[in-house]
């Protein structure tokens, strides 16, 4: 008598879902507003069961002519399932005012894609706090980050926030120095402890908040 053993073949799991984009933010506190000569904050959570391949960001006028922006991003997104998309895009001083569309498109390794479209208004506000001469620099030891900038705020300074972030490390610093709060002009000069930050490329976001709650953000970079 011959006994035969049969082994059932398991079907491989078929993943058909397209990648997803959630928690999209456009502008400070998702206000969907930008101003010429500053930058605009964009952030979203990305997911793909098959692994991400890349992200495309486009900004264009709703109608007629105006500022156009298009950029593909793969570094920090390719071949992983989850990612946080966080960018600050410079808005040219010559950007035409008006209504724009922001499109974020995420593509997975099999070519499936998902796009999310959001409104953006570019407007002019001469009373926004402003920054000039923004500079950052890391010391030789790699533990002290020099941050300096000249600030002007018609509605008087309330606080300054500095965010330092890379792919594997992030830290927020908030300043309400008595010598600064209530002034319309101030030379902001700080040394931030970044000892814990691993080697890599970092973004430094400077946010100025005035006493009417108006905010403006600026960005610089450094390598460690």
């Amino acid at each position: 008598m011959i006994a035969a053993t049969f082994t059932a073949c398991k079907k491989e799991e078929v993943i058909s879902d397209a990648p997803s984009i959630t928690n999209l933010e456009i502008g400070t506190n998702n206000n969907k507003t930008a101003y010429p000569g500053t930058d605009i904050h964009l952030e979203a959570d990305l997911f793909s069961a098959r692994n991400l391949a890349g992200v495309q960001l486009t900004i264009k006028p709703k109608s007629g002519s105006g500022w156009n922006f298009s950029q593909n991003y793969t570094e920090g997104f390719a071949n992983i399932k989850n990612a946080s998309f966080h960018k600050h895009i410079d808005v040219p001083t010559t950007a035409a005012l008006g209504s724009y569309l922001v499109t974020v498109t995420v593509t997975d390794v099999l070519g499936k894609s998902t796009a999310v479209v959001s409104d953006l208004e570019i407007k002019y506000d001469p009373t926004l706090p402003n920054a000039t001469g923004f500079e950052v620099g890391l010391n030789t030891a790699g533990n002290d980050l020099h941050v300096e900038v000249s600030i002007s705020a018609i509605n008087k300074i309330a606080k300054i926030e500095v965010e330092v972030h890379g792919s594997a490390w992030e830290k927020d610093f908030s300043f309400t120095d008595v010598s600064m709060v209530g002034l319309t002009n101030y030379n902001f000069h700080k040394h931030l402890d970044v000892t814990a930050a691993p080697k890599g490329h970092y973004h430094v976001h400077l946010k100025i908040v005035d006493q009417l709650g108006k905010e403006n953000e600026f960005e610089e970079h450094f390598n460690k």
Side-chain angles (χ1 to χ4, degrees):
M1 182 177 179
I2 300 175
T5 303
F6 296 93
T7 304
C9 294
K10 287 186 178 179
K11 280 189 175 181
E12 289 188 7
E13 183 182 2
V14 177
I15 301 171
S16 59
D17 291 341
S20 65
I21 304 170
T22 56
N23 302 320
L24 178 62
E25 289 185 5
I26 307 290
T28 301
N29 299 320
N30 202 27
N31 64 2
K32 303 185 189 306
T33 304
Y35 306 92
T38 66
D39 67 32
I40 179 169
H41 156 85
L42 298 104
E43 190 166 3
D45 294 324
L46 312 178
F47 173 76
S48 172
R50 300 183 194 83
N51 284 352
L52 301 165
V55 188
Q56 182 183 46
L57 171 66
T58 62
I59 303 173
K60 64 181 182 180
K62 268 191 175 180
S63 62
S65 60
W67 173 50
N68 284 271
F69 177 89
S70 181
Q71 181 71 49
N72 290 304
Y73 303 93
T74 55
E75 185 176 352
F77 303 106
N79 298 313
I80 58 176
K81 293 184 183 297
N82 295 280
S84 175
F85 181 74
H86 185 188
K87 299 294 178 183
H88 283 250
I89 307 301
D90 290 331
V91 181
T93 55
T94 55
L97 307 182
S99 298
Y100 286 74
L101 292 175
V102 177
T103 304
V104 179
T105 305
V106 59
T107 304
D108 67 21
V109 292
L110 294 185
K112 280 202 169 188
S113 63
T114 297
V116 174
V117 181
S118 179
D119 290 327
L120 170 67
E121 187 75 17
I122 295 182
K123 58 175 66 174
Y124 177 64
D125 184 352
T127 68
L128 281 177
N130 194 26
T132 56
F134 184 21
E135 61 180 43
V136 300
L138 189 66
N139 67 346
T140 305
N143 59 3
D144 181 278
L145 182 67
H146 160 84
V147 178
E148 189 166 5
V149 62
S150 294
I151 293 170
S152 59
I154 293 174
N155 300 311
K156 300 180 181 180
I157 300 167
K159 66 177 176 179
I160 294 175
E161 297 176 353
V162 180
E163 177 193 272
V164 181
H165 79 88
S167 60
W169 189 84
E170 181 175 321
K171 188 169 183 179
D172 296 321
F173 303 84
S174 184
F175 301 94
T176 54
D177 302 11
V178 173
S179 60
M180 172 183 73
V181 172
L183 297 183
T184 56
N185 292 280
Y186 185 73
N187 186 63
F188 181 79
H189 182 193
K190 297 292 179 182
H191 287 263
L192 310 181
D193 183 4
V194 293
T195 305
K199 289 183 178 180
H201 181 73
Y202 288 87
H203 302 258
V204 181
H205 302 298
L206 176 87
K207 180 192 289 185
I208 308 166
V209 184
D210 70 19
Q211 296 194 0
L212 293 184
K214 292 188 176 184
E215 304 175 352
N216 211 350
E217 291 192 39
F218 304 85
E219 181 183 36
E220 272 296 339
H221 307 258
F222 72 94
N223 292 310
K224 183 174 181 180

